[in-house]
Amino acid sequence: MKEQIYIIGHRNPDTDAIVAATAYARLKKLLGFKNYIAARAGKLSPQTEYIYKRFKIESPLYIPDLVPKTKFYMNDQFLTVNENVSLWKAAEKMISNNASVLPIVDEDGKYLGILNYNAFALNSFKILNPKRDDIFLSSLRLIEKTLNATPIVEFDPDSYFRCSIMVGDDDCVTFKQLIAEKQSENIVVITGDRDDIIRVCIESKVRAIIVTKDYMIDKEIKTLAKQNGVSILSGHDSTLATAMLIEYSTPVSAMADKTIKPVSASDTVQKIRPLLAQSSTRCLPVVDDNNKCIGIISESDLLHDANIQLILVDHNEIQQAVEGVEHYRIKEIIDHHRINTFTTKTPINFINKTVGSTSTIITNLYRENRVPIPKDMASILLCGILSDTLILQSATTTDVDRDTAEYLSNITELDIQALGNDIIKSGSHIAGRSAEEVIHQDMKEYTEGKFNYTVSQIEVDGTDEILRREKEFLEQLEFEKRSHGAIFSSLLVTDITTLSSVFMIASDSVFESQFKFPKKSNHIYYLKDVMSRKKQLIPLISELLSSIDS
C-alpha cells in the first residue's frame, strides 16, 4: 500500500498533543506532502473535545495501538476476476499480468474464492484425461467468448447449464444413435463441414452446435435451427482444438479454491503467519468488514518494511508512546519535555525546545517555513498553548510562549484570558466522571533507573469535589500502581484559582516516607505554588527516587 506517515502524540493525550498532531499534519499538506495523517493514541479529553467542537475541526484518526497488522504490509495493487468470467479468460489475465493468484469476486467485489495455478493445473489434467466426464458448467456466452466464436443463431445465451460435449465426426446413422442414447437437452455438438450431422443435431434439438473452421451455414439450415430453438456458433479453430478449448469456458467460480479463507486488514501479523504457511500459494486475500476484497498479503510482504512511518509529538519516551511503536521507523520527534533513553534505527529530525507547549513549536514551524497559518489551526494552536501553560501562568511558560500566543491571538481575534478561562473550565468538571476516567485523562508513565511510576494531572477551579471523593480516587490509584507494576501512581490536582496543587498518591511506603510536603490527609499532600508536572514535580520525584536507589 502507499506509505502513510502518522503524526501522533502520547497515550492518554492531552490537548497539546492532539493539537500539535492536527496542526503539524496540516502544515505538511500545505507544504505539498499528501501522505501525512494526524492521529491520536487515546480518546479526546472533555477539554479537547470542547475545543474541536467549538472550532469545528475533525479530530485526528484514532489508533489504539500499532501492533503489526495486515493492513501495514498488504499489497493493495492487485487484480480480481468476476465470478462469471470464463476459466480461460481468467487464466489469460493471470499469465499476462504475471499474477500467481487471482481473487474471485461477485458483482459487488465480495470475495468468493481464489484462482491459483494449482486449481488451473487440476482442471487442465481433467481436460487432458481421456476418461474424463464431458459434463461441465457453462453458458453459450462463455463458450462464445472462450472460443472467440460468432453467434449465427442464439437462444438464452447467458443461462448456465450442465454442458455435455459431443464431437460430430461419425457417419450420420451412427451419430444419430449416439445422440439418442445421450438423451440430454444440454448437448453441445462440435462439428466441421458436415451438413448431414448438423441437420441431425437440429432435428434432435440439441442445445447448440459449434461449426469449426469458419464453415458457412446455408440459409435453410439457419432457418431450421431457429424453428427448433437450436443455437449455432461459428468458430475459427479446428474440431480438435475446439474440443480441447471448450471446457475452459466453465465460469471461473466453478474452479475457485474455497479452502483459502480471507483475512481481515485489522488481523495481527502474529495471527496470519501460520495461515500464510498453510496456504498452498503462501498468500491470502484481505477483505474489509463487508467481505469486499481490498488486497493481497504474502509471506514475502512481511519481509519488507511496513507501509507506515511515525512522527512523535509532545513526547519522546517509549513507555509513553502508543503500543507497538518500536516496530516502525520514526521520522521526526517534536517535543518540549526531558529527553530519556531513546534509540532509532536511522537518523531523524529531533526538535526539542524549552518552551511550555508543543503547540508553540508547531506555530513557529509554520513561520519558519513561511506558510500562513489557517485561522482554524491558529485557533486550536492558541488553545494548545493556553492549556499546557495554564493560561501562561505555569512555571514552564517562556517569553516564546507569550509572544507566540499574542501572535495567534492577533490572527484569530481571540482574547487570551477569555479563551483560556473557557478551555480550562471545559476540562475541570469532575461531577459525573469516574475516578478511572479522570486519572486516565492525562496519565503519563515514567521510568527512573529500575523504577517506573505514573503521574496524572487535571486542572480544576476548586479541589473540594475530588477531596470529597478521596477514597474512590486513592483506590483507583492503588489499582493503577499494581497494574503498572509501579513504585507509585499519583494524581496532581492543580487548582487554577490558587495556582497550587493537591497531590494524591498510592505508593510504596519507602518512597512516600521521603515525601516532605504538607499532608492534608493520608496519602494526600498540599503542593503550594506547584502547577507544572514537567518542570516542578517530575524533577523532585527524580531526585527522591535517586536517593532511594542509592
Side-chain angles (χ1 to χ4, degrees):
M1 292 181 69
K2 184 179 178 182
E3 186 176 71
Q4 296 179 324
I5 301 163
Y6 292 122
I7 305 174
I8 190 166
H10 46 79
R11 302 181 199 182
N12 307 311
D14 59 6
T15 294
D16 189 39
I18 298 287
V19 166
T22 304
Y24 196 45
R26 180 75 69 86
L27 173 59
K28 289 291 188 181
K29 285 181 170 61
L30 292 172
L31 289 170
F33 303 104
K34 304 301 182 185
N35 55 336
Y36 287 76
I37 299 170
R40 56 187 172 93
K43 69 176 186 178
L44 300 183
S45 69
Q47 182 187 86
T48 312
E49 190 173 6
Y50 163 78
I51 290 165
Y52 274 64
K53 282 184 178 178
R54 175 169 173 170
F55 295 106
K56 297 179 175 62
I57 296 172
E58 185 178 352
S59 64
L61 174 69
Y62 176 50
I63 300 178
D65 66 73
L66 281 171
V67 174
K69 294 182 177 65
T70 301
K71 60 186 174 183
F72 301 149
Y73 295 88
M74 74 181 198
N75 182 2
D76 65 352
Q77 303 299 309
F78 68 105
L79 299 169
T80 62
V81 62
N82 184 273
E83 60 180 321
N84 295 315
V85 168
S86 71
L87 178 61
W88 183 257
K89 293 298 181 183
E92 281 186 336
K93 190 172 188 178
M94 284 180 70
I95 294 167
S96 62
N97 289 281
N98 196 28
S100 58
V101 295
L102 210 55
I104 300 168
V105 299
D106 65 12
E107 296 296 338
D108 298 321
K110 292 183 178 180
Y111 175 76
L112 299 174
I114 204 161
L115 179 67
N116 52 46
Y117 283 118
N118 289 341
F120 188 70
L122 286 172
N123 193 67
S124 297
F125 175 77
K126 176 188 170 186
I127 292 168
L128 294 170
N129 182 1
K131 297 180 180 180
R132 72 186 186 274
D133 179 3
D134 284 328
I135 298 177
F136 60 93
L137 185 69
S138 191
S139 70
L140 293 181
R141 184 80 69 202
L142 286 179
I143 292 172
E144 176 188 315
K145 289 182 177 180
T146 303
L147 302 176
N148 290 322
T150 302
I152 306 300
V153 178
E154 197 169 46
F155 296 96
D156 199 12
D158 296 310
S159 294
Y160 286 115
F161 62 96
R162 301 293 296 174
C163 180
S164 177
I165 298 297
M166 290 185 68
V167 176
D169 58 356
D170 299 288
D171 64 80
C172 196
V173 174
T174 302
F175 184 76
K176 195 169 186 177
Q177 292 174 343
L178 290 172
I179 207 167
E181 289 173 4
K182 280 230 172 186
Q183 294 182 339
S184 171
E185 61 183 14
N186 288 331
I187 295 173
V188 174
V189 177
I190 303 169
T191 190
D193 53 353
R194 297 283 304 274
D195 284 353
D196 55 345
I197 293 291
I198 294 171
R199 286 180 180 275
V200 168
C201 291
I202 294 172
E203 290 167 0
S204 301
K205 296 187 178 180
V206 300
R207 183 70 175 248
I209 305 165
I210 302 170
V211 291
T212 59
K213 287 285 188 177
D214 297 311
Y215 178 63
M216 295 292 293
I217 302 295
D218 64 37
K219 290 182 179 180
E220 181 192 348
I221 290 178
K222 185 175 177 181
T223 301
L224 188 62
K226 288 180 180 180
Q227 291 171 350
N228 284 273
V230 176
S231 298
I232 299 178
L233 305 180
S234 174
H236 309 293
D237 299 314
S238 66
T239 301
L240 176 63
T242 301
M244 292 286 291
L245 190 57
I246 192 171
E247 289 198 41
Y248 288 102
S249 65
T250 189
V252 69
S253 57
M255 291 306 302
D257 184 344
K258 295 180 180 178
T259 64
I260 297 179
K261 303 301 181 184
V263 296
S264 167
S266 60
D267 285 341
T268 64
V269 168
Q270 183 179 13
K271 177 181 177 180
I272 70 165
R273 278 189 190 278
L275 301 178
L276 281 168
Q278 294 165 15
S279 169
S280 58
T281 59
R282 295 296 189 270
C283 65
L284 296 167
V286 184
V287 297
D288 63 13
D289 293 340
N290 297 314
N291 202 44
K292 187 173 181 179
C293 197
I294 58 173
I296 293 284
I297 189 161
S298 67
E299 284 187 329
S300 61
D301 289 329
L302 298 182
L303 301 176
H304 304 148
D305 287 338
N307 55 34
I308 63 169
Q309 298 184 45
L310 304 174
I311 294 176
L312 307 184
V313 293
D314 200 37
H315 71 299
N316 69 79
E317 299 186 48
I318 286 292
Q319 64 267 34
Q320 292 182 17
V322 61
E323 181 186 358
V325 67
E326 67 275 8
H327 296 286
Y328 309 97
R329 182 187 169 195
I330 296 171
K331 283 179 65 74
E332 301 178 37
I333 297 175
I334 303 175
D335 193 19
H336 67 125
H337 295 91
R338 67 176 188 171
I339 299 174
N340 204 349
T341 304
F342 194 95
T343 59
T344 60
K345 295 178 182 178
T346 56
I348 67 169
N349 291 328
F350 195 143
I351 301 174
N352 191 282
K353 295 190 175 182
T354 53
V355 292
S357 167
T358 307
S359 296
T360 298
I361 303 172
I362 301 298
T363 301
N364 288 299
L365 285 174
Y366 273 87
R367 300 169 80 176
E368 290 169 18
N369 284 279
R370 298 186 177 184
V371 175
I373 306 178
K375 192 171 182 177
D376 59 344
M377 292 297 101
S379 299
I380 63 170
L381 283 166
L382 180 56
C383 292
I385 294 171
L386 299 182
S387 170
D388 231 33
T389 63
L390 295 178
I391 322 179
L392 306 176
Q393 296 179 95
S394 170
T396 61
T397 309
T398 66
D399 288 341
V400 177
D401 297 301
R402 295 185 186 93
D403 291 343
T404 304
E406 287 292 342
Y407 172 74
L408 294 170
S409 177
N410 287 333
I411 293 174
T412 60
E413 299 180 344
L414 292 167
D415 180 78
I416 287 176
Q417 191 62 46
L419 177 63
N421 289 338
D422 287 345
I423 63 177
I424 295 297
K425 282 183 180 179
S426 68
S428 65
H429 301 298
I430 304 301
R433 300 172 65 197
S434 68
E436 179 183 12
E437 184 181 357
V438 172
I439 289 168
H440 282 193
Q441 175 177 307
D442 184 10
M443 173 190 280
K444 290 186 178 179
E445 187 173 356
Y446 300 89
T447 299
E448 294 283 349
K450 64 182 181 182
F451 302 115
N452 70 289
Y453 59 94
T454 71
V455 180
S456 303
Q457 185 174 18
I458 187 169
E459 295 87 27
V460 296
D461 54 4
T463 59
D464 291 348
E465 172 72 17
I466 281 186
L467 292 176
R468 277 198 300 270
R469 297 166 57 187
E470 66 176 67
K471 183 174 182 292
E472 177 190 351
F473 277 91
L474 288 172
E475 286 176 352
Q476 184 62 39
L477 288 171
E478 180 62 35
F479 174 80
E480 299 297 338
K481 171 181 169 291
R482 292 197 307 271
S483 62
H484 285 85
I487 189 171
F488 72 86
S489 285
S490 60
L491 173 64
L492 185 67
V493 185
T494 300
D495 189 340
I496 60 174
T497 63
T498 63
L499 305 184
S500 295
S501 298
V502 167
F503 187 66
M504 311 178 81
I505 185 169
S507 171
D508 180 289
S509 58
V510 175
F511 174 76
E512 192 170 350
S513 66
Q514 303 295 313
F515 215 71
K516 304 303 182 184
F517 280 93
K519 182 181 283 191
K520 291 182 72 70
S521 60
N522 285 339
H523 313 301
I524 300 178
Y525 299 84
Y526 178 66
L527 279 59
K528 189 176 187 308
D529 299 329
V530 173
M531 300 173 65
S532 171
R533 172 174 50 187
K534 175 182 68 177
K535 192 168 183 178
Q536 294 174 300
L537 183 60
I538 298 303
L540 170 65
I541 289 172
S542 297
E543 187 177 333
L544 292 177
L545 288 174
S546 295
S547 65
I548 292 172
D549 195 25
S550 62

